[in-house]
Amino acid sequence: MINYDLLKDELAKIGVSLDSYGLDRFDAYAERLVRWNKHVNLTAITEPDDIVIKHFFDSLYPLKYVHMNKEQRLVDIGTGAGFPGLPLLIAEPQLEVDFVDSVGKKLAFIKDVLRNSGLLARVVHKRAEEIGRNDDYREQYDYATARAVAPLNALCEYALPLVKVGGLFISLKGETGALELKKAENAIKVLGGEVVKFDEYTLPNGDARSIIIIKKISQTPTKYPRKSKKIDTRPL
Ligand code: SAM
C-alpha cells in the first residue's frame, strides 16, 4: 500500500491534485509493478515510498509547467514500465496516450495496469525512430515524453519527428541535463525545435533531476529520423 499523503503533499507543492480515483489507481499500479517485477525486469525501485517519489512524483513533474487538461495526444517513448506516460494518464485521464517500447514484455505489463484501472490507451511495440517515418504517427502528437531512454541529442531525433508543429517534447533527465542540452543544441535546431524551459530540481529524497521542454516550431526535414545505428553513432 503506498502512502497517499506523501504523494498528495508532494504534488500539492507543484500545484497538482489527484482525486481518490487517481490515488487508488496509483496504489494498484504500484502493487502490480512490484508483483510483475518478480518475473519481468521492470524496475530496480520497489520500496513503496521510492515508487511514489522516484517513479510517480518524478513522472508527474511536467504538470508543474504544462497543463495537459484537454483531449490531447501524447506519445511516451521508451516507456518501459510506463514512466512518465502512465502516471500522466492517471492524473489526466482525458489524454490520448500511445505507449511506445521496443520490448514487448514491458508493454504487456502496461496493458495489464490499463485493464485493471479501466483506463484506455494504445501500446505500440515498435522503435520510436521507426514510427517517426510512418505518417500514421509522424507529427501527430501534442506531446512526446521520454525518461531515461537515450542521450538528448539522439533522443531528439526519436521524439521531435512525432510532435506536431506547436507541440512539445518533454525530456526528463538526471543531473546531466545541462550538459546534454548543450550537446543537443544543433539537433534541436535541425529537427525544428526550440527550448522553452530548462529546470533543475531535487526530488524530496535528495536526488538531482532536470526537465527540458522543447517546442516544435517548424516541420522536421523528411530525411529525419535516420536509421537507429546512424542516430546513435553519428548524433546530430
Ligand atoms: N522510461 C522508463 C523509465 O523512465 O523508467 C524506462 C526507461 S528504460 C531505461 C529505457 C526503455 O526505452 C527500455 O524499455 C527500452 O526498451 C526502451 N527503448 C530504448 N530505445 C528505444 C527506441 N529507440 N524505441 C523504443 N523504445 C526504446
Coordinates of all heavy atoms in Angstrom, one line a residue, residues 175-226:
E175 N 21.1 14.5 -13.4 CA 21.9 15.7 -13.2 C 22.7 16.1 -14.4 O 23.4 17.1 -14.4 CB 22.8 15.5 -11.9 CG 23.7 14.3 -12.0 CD 24.3 13.9 -10.7 OE1 24.2 14.7 -9.8 OE2 25.0 12.9 -10.6
T176 N 22.7 15.2 -15.5 CA 23.4 15.5 -16.7 C 22.7 16.4 -17.6 O 23.1 16.7 -18.8 CB 23.8 14.2 -17.4 OG1 22.6 13.5 -17.7 CG2 24.7 13.3 -16.5
G177 N 21.5 16.8 -17.2 CA 20.6 17.6 -18.2 C 21.2 18.7 -18.9 O 21.1 18.9 -20.1
A178 N 21.9 19.6 -18.1 CA 22.5 20.8 -18.6 C 23.6 20.5 -19.7 O 23.6 21.1 -20.8 CB 23.1 21.7 -17.5
L179 N 24.4 19.5 -19.4 CA 25.4 19.1 -20.3 C 24.8 18.5 -21.6 O 25.2 18.8 -22.7 CB 26.3 18.1 -19.6 CG 27.6 17.7 -20.3 CD1 28.5 19.0 -20.3 CD2 28.3 16.6 -19.6
E180 N 23.8 17.6 -21.4 CA 23.2 17.0 -22.6 C 22.5 18.1 -23.4 O 22.5 17.9 -24.7 CB 22.1 16.0 -22.1 CG 22.8 14.8 -21.5 CD 21.8 13.6 -21.3 OE1 21.0 13.4 -22.2 OE2 21.8 13.0 -20.2
L181 N 21.9 19.1 -22.8 CA 21.2 20.1 -23.5 C 22.2 20.9 -24.4 O 22.0 21.2 -25.6 CB 20.5 21.1 -22.6 CG 19.7 22.2 -23.2 CD1 18.7 21.6 -24.2 CD2 19.0 22.9 -22.1
K182 N 23.4 21.1 -23.9 CA 24.4 21.9 -24.6 C 24.8 21.0 -25.9 O 24.9 21.6 -27.0 CB 25.6 22.1 -23.7 CG 26.5 23.2 -24.1 CD 27.3 23.8 -23.0 CE 28.2 25.0 -23.6 NZ 27.5 25.8 -24.5
K183 N 25.0 19.7 -25.7 CA 25.4 18.9 -26.8 C 24.3 18.7 -27.8 O 24.5 18.2 -28.9 CB 25.8 17.5 -26.2 CG 27.1 17.5 -25.6 CD 27.6 16.0 -25.3 CE 28.8 15.9 -24.5 NZ 29.0 14.6 -24.0
A184 N 23.0 19.0 -27.4 CA 21.9 18.7 -28.3 C 21.4 20.0 -29.0 O 20.5 19.9 -29.8 CB 20.7 18.1 -27.5
E185 N 22.1 21.1 -28.8 CA 21.6 22.4 -29.4 C 21.4 22.3 -30.9 O 20.4 22.7 -31.4 CB 22.6 23.5 -29.1 CG 22.3 24.2 -27.8 CD 23.5 25.1 -27.3 OE1 24.4 25.4 -28.2 OE2 23.4 25.6 -26.2
N186 N 22.4 21.6 -31.6 CA 22.3 21.5 -33.0 C 21.2 20.6 -33.4 O 20.4 21.0 -34.3 CB 23.6 21.0 -33.6 CG 23.6 21.0 -35.1 OD1 23.4 22.0 -35.8 ND2 23.8 19.8 -35.7
A187 N 21.0 19.5 -32.8 CA 20.0 18.5 -33.1 C 18.6 19.2 -33.0 O 17.7 19.1 -33.8 CB 20.0 17.3 -32.2
I188 N 18.4 20.0 -31.9 CA 17.1 20.6 -31.6 C 16.8 21.6 -32.8 O 15.7 21.6 -33.3 CB 17.2 21.4 -30.3 CG1 17.3 20.3 -29.1 CG2 15.9 22.2 -30.1 CD1 17.7 20.9 -27.8
K189 N 17.8 22.3 -33.2 CA 17.6 23.3 -34.3 C 17.3 22.6 -35.6 O 16.3 22.9 -36.3 CB 18.8 24.2 -34.4 CG 18.6 25.5 -35.1 CD 19.8 26.4 -34.8 CE 20.1 27.1 -36.2 NZ 21.5 27.4 -36.3
V190 N 18.1 21.7 -35.9 CA 17.9 21.0 -37.2 C 16.6 20.3 -37.3 O 15.9 20.2 -38.4 CB 19.1 19.9 -37.4 CG1 18.8 19.0 -38.6 CG2 20.4 20.6 -37.6
L191 N 16.1 19.7 -36.2 CA 14.8 18.9 -36.2 C 13.6 19.8 -36.0 O 12.5 19.3 -36.0 CB 14.9 17.9 -35.1 CG 16.0 16.8 -35.3 CD1 16.3 16.1 -34.0 CD2 15.7 15.8 -36.4
G192 N 13.8 21.1 -35.9 CA 12.6 22.0 -35.9 C 12.2 22.4 -34.5 O 11.0 22.8 -34.3
G193 N 13.1 22.3 -33.5 CA 12.7 22.6 -32.1 C 13.3 23.8 -31.6 O 14.2 24.4 -32.1
E194 N 12.7 24.3 -30.4 CA 13.3 25.4 -29.7 C 13.1 25.2 -28.2 O 11.9 24.8 -27.8 CB 12.5 26.7 -30.1 CG 13.0 27.9 -29.4 CD 12.1 29.1 -29.8 OE1 10.9 29.2 -29.3 OE2 12.5 29.9 -30.7
V195 N 14.1 25.3 -27.4 CA 14.0 25.1 -25.9 C 13.1 26.2 -25.3 O 13.4 27.4 -25.5 CB 15.4 25.0 -25.3 CG1 15.2 24.8 -23.8 CG2 16.2 24.0 -25.9
V196 N 12.0 25.8 -24.6 CA 11.2 26.8 -23.9 C 11.4 26.7 -22.4 O 11.0 27.7 -21.7 CB 9.7 26.7 -24.4 CG1 9.5 27.2 -25.8 CG2 9.2 25.3 -24.2
K197 N 11.9 25.6 -21.9 CA 12.1 25.5 -20.5 C 13.2 24.6 -20.1 O 13.3 23.5 -20.7 CB 10.8 25.0 -19.8 CG 10.8 25.0 -18.3 CD 10.3 26.3 -17.8 CE 10.8 26.6 -16.4 NZ 10.6 28.0 -16.0
F198 N 14.1 25.0 -19.2 CA 15.0 24.1 -18.6 C 15.0 24.3 -17.1 O 15.2 25.5 -16.7 CB 16.4 24.3 -19.2 CG 17.5 23.5 -18.5 CD1 17.5 22.1 -18.5 CD2 18.5 24.1 -17.7 CE1 18.4 21.3 -17.9 CE2 19.4 23.4 -17.0 CZ 19.4 22.0 -17.1
D199 N 14.8 23.3 -16.3 CA 14.8 23.5 -14.9 C 15.5 22.3 -14.2 O 15.3 21.2 -14.6 CB 13.3 23.5 -14.4 CG 13.1 23.7 -12.9 OD1 14.1 24.3 -12.3 OD2 12.1 23.3 -12.4
E200 N 16.3 22.7 -13.2 CA 17.0 21.6 -12.4 C 16.3 21.6 -11.1 O 16.0 22.7 -10.5 CB 18.5 22.0 -12.2 CG 19.2 21.8 -13.6 CD 20.7 22.2 -13.5 OE1 21.0 23.3 -13.0 OE2 21.5 21.4 -13.8
Y201 N 16.0 20.4 -10.6 CA 15.2 20.4 -9.3 C 15.7 19.2 -8.5 O 16.5 18.3 -9.0 CB 13.7 20.3 -9.5 CG 13.2 19.2 -10.4 CD1 12.7 18.0 -9.8 CD2 13.3 19.2 -11.8 CE1 12.3 16.9 -10.6 CE2 12.9 18.2 -12.6 CZ 12.4 17.0 -12.0 OH 11.9 16.0 -12.8
T202 N 15.2 19.1 -7.3 CA 15.7 18.0 -6.4 C 14.4 17.2 -6.0 O 13.5 17.8 -5.5 CB 16.4 18.6 -5.2 OG1 17.4 19.5 -5.6 CG2 17.0 17.5 -4.3
L203 N 14.4 15.9 -6.1 CA 13.3 15.1 -5.6 C 13.3 15.2 -4.1 O 14.4 15.4 -3.5 CB 13.5 13.7 -6.1 CG 13.3 13.4 -7.6 CD1 13.5 11.9 -7.8 CD2 11.9 13.8 -8.0
P204 N 12.2 14.9 -3.4 CA 12.1 15.0 -2.0 C 13.2 14.1 -1.3 O 13.5 14.4 -0.2 CB 10.7 14.5 -1.7 CG 9.9 14.8 -2.9 CD 10.9 14.7 -4.1
N205 N 13.7 13.1 -2.0 CA 14.7 12.2 -1.3 C 16.1 12.7 -1.6 O 17.1 12.1 -1.1 CB 14.6 10.8 -1.9 CG 15.0 10.7 -3.3 OD1 14.8 11.6 -4.1 ND2 15.7 9.7 -3.7
G206 N 16.2 13.9 -2.3 CA 17.5 14.5 -2.5 C 18.2 14.2 -3.9 O 19.2 14.8 -4.2
D207 N 17.6 13.4 -4.7 CA 18.1 13.1 -6.0 C 18.0 14.3 -6.9 O 17.0 14.9 -7.0 CB 17.4 11.9 -6.6 CG 17.8 10.5 -6.0 OD1 18.6 10.5 -5.1 OD2 17.2 9.5 -6.4
A208 N 19.1 14.5 -7.7 CA 19.1 15.6 -8.7 C 18.4 15.2 -10.0 O 18.6 14.2 -10.5 CB 20.5 16.1 -9.0
R209 N 17.5 16.1 -10.4 CA 16.7 15.9 -11.7 C 16.7 17.1 -12.5 O 16.9 18.2 -12.0 CB 15.3 15.5 -11.4 CG 15.1 14.1 -10.7 CD 15.2 13.0 -11.7 NE 14.9 11.8 -11.2 CZ 15.7 10.9 -10.5 NH1 16.9 11.3 -10.3 NH2 15.2 9.8 -10.1
S210 N 16.4 17.0 -13.8 CA 16.2 18.1 -14.6 C 15.1 17.8 -15.7 O 14.8 16.7 -16.0 CB 17.5 18.6 -15.3 OG 18.0 17.5 -16.1
I211 N 14.5 18.9 -16.1 CA 13.4 18.8 -17.1 C 13.7 19.8 -18.3 O 14.2 20.9 -18.0 CB 12.0 19.0 -16.5 CG1 10.9 18.9 -17.6 CG2 11.9 20.4 -15.8 CD1 9.5 18.9 -17.0
I212 N 13.6 19.2 -19.5 CA 13.9 20.1 -20.7 C 12.6 20.0 -21.5 O 12.1 19.0 -21.9 CB 15.0 19.5 -21.5 CG1 16.3 19.5 -20.6 CG2 15.3 20.3 -22.8 CD1 17.3 18.4 -21.0
I213 N 12.1 21.2 -21.8 CA 10.8 21.3 -22.6 C 11.2 22.0 -23.9 O 11.7 23.1 -24.0 CB 9.7 22.0 -21.9 CG1 9.4 21.3 -20.6 CG2 8.4 22.0 -22.8 CD1 8.3 21.9 -19.7
I214 N 10.9 21.2 -25.0 CA 11.3 21.7 -26.4 C 10.0 21.9 -27.2 O 9.2 21.0 -27.3 CB 12.3 20.8 -27.1 CG1 13.6 20.6 -26.3 CG2 12.5 21.2 -28.5 CD1 14.4 19.5 -26.7
K215 N 9.8 23.1 -27.7 CA 8.6 23.3 -28.6 C 9.0 23.1 -30.0 O 10.1 23.4 -30.5 CB 8.2 24.8 -28.4 CG 6.9 25.1 -29.1 CD 6.4 26.4 -28.7 CE 5.0 26.6 -29.3 NZ 4.4 27.9 -29.0
K216 N 8.1 22.4 -30.7 CA 8.3 22.2 -32.2 C 7.9 23.5 -32.9 O 6.7 23.8 -32.8 CB 7.5 21.0 -32.6 CG 7.6 20.6 -34.1 CD 8.6 19.5 -34.3 CE 8.4 19.0 -35.7 NZ 8.0 17.6 -35.7
I217 N 8.8 24.2 -33.5 CA 8.4 25.4 -34.2 C 8.4 25.3 -35.7 O 7.8 26.2 -36.4 CB 9.3 26.6 -33.7 CG1 10.8 26.3 -34.0 CG2 9.1 27.0 -32.3 CD1 11.7 27.5 -33.9
S218 N 8.9 24.3 -36.3 CA 8.8 24.0 -37.7 C 8.9 22.5 -38.0 O 9.4 21.8 -37.2 CB 9.9 24.8 -38.5 OG 11.2 24.4 -38.0
Q219 N 8.4 22.2 -39.2 CA 8.4 20.7 -39.5 C 9.8 20.1 -39.5 O 10.7 20.8 -39.9 CB 7.7 20.5 -40.9 CG 6.2 20.6 -40.8 CD 5.6 20.2 -42.1 OE1 6.1 20.4 -43.2 NE2 4.4 19.5 -42.0
T220 N 9.9 18.9 -39.2 CA 11.2 18.2 -39.2 C 11.5 17.8 -40.6 O 10.6 17.2 -41.3 CB 11.1 16.9 -38.3 OG1 10.8 17.3 -37.0 CG2 12.4 16.1 -38.4
P221 N 12.7 18.1 -41.2 CA 13.0 17.7 -42.5 C 12.8 16.2 -42.7 O 13.1 15.4 -41.8 CB 14.5 18.1 -42.6 CG 14.7 19.1 -41.6 CD 13.8 18.8 -40.5
T222 N 12.3 15.8 -43.9 CA 11.9 14.4 -44.1 C 13.0 13.4 -44.0 O 12.8 12.2 -43.9 CB 11.2 14.3 -45.5 OG1 12.0 14.9 -46.5 CG2 9.8 14.9 -45.5
K223 N 14.3 13.9 -44.1 CA 15.4 12.9 -44.0 C 15.6 12.4 -42.6 O 16.3 11.4 -42.3 CB 16.7 13.4 -44.6 CG 17.2 14.6 -43.9 CD 18.6 14.9 -44.6 CE 19.1 16.2 -44.1 NZ 20.3 16.6 -44.7
Y224 N 14.9 13.0 -41.6 CA 14.9 12.5 -40.2 C 13.6 11.9 -39.8 O 12.5 12.4 -40.2 CB 15.3 13.7 -39.3 CG 16.5 14.4 -39.7 CD1 16.5 15.7 -40.2 CD2 17.8 13.7 -39.6 CE1 17.6 16.3 -40.6 CE2 18.9 14.4 -40.0 CZ 18.9 15.7 -40.5 OH 20.0 16.3 -40.9
P225 N 13.6 10.9 -38.9 CA 14.7 10.3 -38.3 C 15.5 9.3 -39.2 O 14.9 8.7 -40.0 CB 14.1 9.5 -37.1 CG 12.7 9.2 -37.6 CD 12.3 10.3 -38.4
R226 N 16.8 9.3 -39.0 CA 17.6 8.3 -39.8 C 17.5 6.9 -39.1 O 16.8 6.7 -38.2 CB 19.1 8.8 -39.8 CG 19.3 10.1 -40.5 CD 20.6 10.7 -40.1 NE 20.7 11.0 -38.7 CZ 21.8 11.3 -38.0 NH1 23.0 11.3 -38.6 NH2 21.8 11.5 -36.7

